[in-house]
Amino acid sequence: MGNHTTASTFFLWGFSSFPDLQILLFVMIFFSHVTILTANLFIMVAIKLSHNLHIPMYFLLCGLSFSETCTTLVIIPRMLVDLLSDSKMISFLECATQMFFFFGLSSNNCFIMTSMAYDRYTAIHNPLHYSMLITRKVCFQLMMASWVIGFLVSLCIVIIVFNLSFCDSKTIQHFFCDIAPVVSLACDSTSLHEVVIFVLSAFVLVGSFIFIMISYVFIVSIVVKMPSAKGRYKAFSTCSSHLTMVSIHYGFASFVYLRPKNSDSFREDMLMAVIYTVLTPLLSPIVYSLRNKEMQLALRKVLENANRFIHHLANKRTINIF
């Protein structure tokens, strides 16, 4: 009991075991982060300005892009600072806040992907009544439900984790305040806490994934019965980008959060978390834009307008100089 203490700060060990690679990691992660922010910004602007994209599928995609952008902002800036800093201390409150927003936004991403699967099922199963079934109001309700449920689950996890008593060791074997590395520092018996956290994580990951897979089972059963090969190709093409990102997102997330934990697994989890927090948000806008002709046209228009605006500012500046 003498080792029990009220933690005021933690030390994020992160990439300290790779001192020679920290500058290289900083450069790679920095440019990846800039690319993520730029790509998601262009997608959101393209959807906003293109009237032909004002349909439920793109409304949900815009919400997913915004949520993924926020997720990276919770993790990556702090990671970049720590890569260049000798002091990697994070306060108790900052750690709890980071965990709350990261898991809340990550859960929100899962539920938005589930809403996108339901949207695609409705569009293929009942195309004649699609506009009446999936209205702007329904999309807004699905989006709000995703945010509310995601952050409620996250709040429950944060309360469970940070009500534990922590030992003298304050070193978190990770580059951010993830659940398992923080729980491993507790002096309390954490078996019950870990079971509850696992159930909540499974509710988010497994529950939403099962719903997505059920939607796609129905979608496939409908598409294979279509008499037109062109119709089948169009139906599958509208779902391919979403299904690709579902596979990537749930594959890495399940590996990190649903497999059994021990002290030796934190290093592997940390490396997988880099992919989950950096590579997945980087791939998402690329997949959704490269595999969608309507999105490509909208992005091209945004880029053309941006180039015109830049040329206009350059010409105006030249005129002012002379």
Side-chain angles (χ1 to χ4, degrees):
M1 294 297 293
N3 288 333
H4 288 232
T5 181
T6 302
S8 58
T9 58
F10 294 104
F11 177 80
L12 291 170
W13 177 254
F15 301 104
S16 298
S17 54
F18 309 107
D20 298 333
L21 295 176
Q22 292 196 31
I23 299 298
L24 177 61
L25 286 168
F26 175 86
V27 173
M28 292 174 62
I29 293 171
F30 174 79
F31 282 107
S32 297
H33 188 47
V34 171
T35 304
I36 291 167
L37 296 179
T38 305
N40 281 319
L41 178 63
F42 272 111
I43 284 179
M44 289 185 282
V45 171
I47 292 171
K48 177 67 177 177
L49 298 180
S50 303
H51 293 290
N52 62 314
L53 299 184
H54 291 180
I55 57 177
M57 179 174 72
Y58 293 106
F59 178 79
L60 293 170
L61 176 58
C62 185
L64 181 64
S65 296
F66 177 74
S67 182
E68 286 189 334
T69 301
C70 294
T71 306
T72 60
L73 289 172
V74 170
I75 300 299
I76 297 180
R78 171 75 202 213
M79 188 199 311
L80 292 173
V81 171
D82 286 342
L83 281 169
L84 296 181
S85 173
D86 294 329
S87 176
K88 297 174 172 59
M89 304 304 293
I90 185 169
S91 71
F92 183 91
L93 181 60
E94 287 174 325
C95 190
T97 303
Q98 187 184 56
M99 185 185 293
F100 170 73
F101 280 104
F102 174 73
F103 202 85
L105 289 163
S106 299
S107 302
N108 179 48
N109 295 341
C110 293
F111 294 131
I112 292 178
M113 286 186 178
T114 306
S115 301
M116 293 171 78
Y118 173 69
D119 169 72
R120 291 298 83 207
Y121 163 72
T122 307
I124 293 171
H125 177 257
N126 208 340
L128 296 178
H129 298 94
Y130 172 71
S131 58
M132 292 184 290
L133 293 172
I134 307 293
T135 61
R136 183 180 292 271
K137 181 180 178 180
V138 170
C139 280
F140 182 77
Q141 289 172 341
L142 288 171
M143 195 79 73
M144 287 300 101
S146 299
W147 282 83
V148 170
I149 296 172
F151 278 102
L152 279 176
V153 172
S154 181
L155 180 62
C156 292
I157 289 175
V158 169
I159 290 172
I160 291 169
V161 171
F162 287 92
N163 270 327
L164 294 169
S165 296
F166 295 98
C167 299
D168 289 338
S169 175
K170 307 286 191 344
T171 302
I172 298 174
Q173 301 291 331
H174 215 297
F175 58 83
F176 73 99
C177 289
D178 204 0
I179 299 168
V182 175
V183 171
S184 69
L185 302 179
C187 294
D188 302 328
S189 175
T190 60
S191 300
L192 180 60
H193 300 81
E194 288 173 1
V195 169
V196 175
I197 290 169
F198 179 83
V199 170
L200 290 170
S201 302
F203 166 73
V204 173
L205 288 170
V206 179
S208 58
F209 182 74
I210 288 174
F211 192 95
I212 291 171
M213 288 299 100
I214 290 173
S215 298
Y216 274 106
V217 167
F218 283 115
I219 287 171
V220 170
S221 66
I222 295 166
V223 171
V224 294
K225 295 176 184 178
M226 290 181 177
S228 168
K230 186 178 180 180
R232 290 196 296 272
Y233 174 78
K234 184 178 180 181
F236 278 127
S237 64
T238 59
C239 299
S240 60
S241 55
H242 177 251
L243 195 55
T244 300
M245 286 313 303
V246 165
S247 302
I248 295 171
H249 178 88
Y250 282 88
F252 290 124
S254 298
F255 182 86
V256 173
Y257 293 104
L258 296 183
R259 72 191 182 103
K261 303 290 180 186
N262 57 62
S263 58
D264 296 327
S265 68
F266 292 152
R267 188 185 178 99
E268 293 177 7
D269 286 352
M270 186 176 70
L271 295 175
M272 292 299 291
V274 174
I275 298 173
Y276 181 66
T277 56
V278 179
L279 184 61
T280 302
L282 180 63
L283 288 175
S284 183
I286 295 172
V287 170
Y288 281 114
S289 58
L290 289 181
R291 308 195 68 170
N292 190 305
K293 291 183 179 180
E294 290 179 329
M295 182 59 69
Q296 289 175 20
L297 291 172
L299 288 170
R300 196 172 296 134
K301 288 181 181 178
V302 171
L303 289 171
E304 288 172 357
N305 291 333
N307 284 330
R308 288 196 197 100
F309 181 71
I310 292 169
H311 286 309
H312 174 73
L313 288 179
N315 292 333
K316 188 175 180 180
R317 185 178 178 183
T318 304
I319 292 169
N320 290 336
I321 290 173
F322 290 101

